[in-house]
Amino acid sequence: ESKKIKLHPNPSFGTINISHPLFQEKTTLKIYDTLGKEIFKQELKENTSLTTINLNIPKGYYSMEIESKNEKYSDKIIID
């Protein structure tokens, strides 16, 4: 079963809302620059369906991963 995770707005000026299903276990959000360097990491709260992150990073393209024990989701984000 594919869980639906949505990022908005994308492109963003730095604040990104992540709508996701309720996580029942430890889930980690990581953001990487174009060279693959981890530049942001945050644990997502269990039993919540919306997470807002404020990124103070330069404009550009980034990769995002949300990973729990059993699942992994990846997407691209643009900071404008």
Side-chain angles (χ1 to χ4, degrees):
E1 176 185 336
S2 174
K3 294 189 175 183
K4 300 208 184 264
I5 296 176
K6 295 180 183 171
L7 308 174
H8 48 91
N10 193 13
S12 168
F13 292 112
T15 299
I16 297 175
N17 297 301
I18 305 165
S19 301
H20 50 78
L22 296 179
F23 294 120
Q24 302 300 323
E25 58 190 25
K26 179 180 166 184
T27 303
T28 306
L29 165 73
K30 296 178 183 177
I31 296 178
Y32 300 91
D33 65 14
T34 54
L35 300 175
K37 179 182 173 189
E38 181 183 298
I39 59 164
F40 182 86
K41 181 177 180 179
Q42 179 176 317
E43 300 235 347
L44 301 181
K45 292 180 182 172
E46 295 174 19
N47 299 314
T48 185
S49 61
L50 178 66
T51 300
T52 300
I53 58 172
N54 294 299
L55 300 170
N56 187 13
I57 57 178
K59 292 180 182 182
Y61 294 88
Y62 297 88
S63 299
M64 182 200 72
E65 281 184 0
I66 296 176
E67 187 171 11
S68 66
K69 182 178 175 184
N70 298 316
E71 296 186 63
K72 189 173 186 177
Y73 170 83
S74 300
D75 206 346
K76 303 284 185 211
I77 56 175
I78 301 168
I79 302 299
D80 212 358

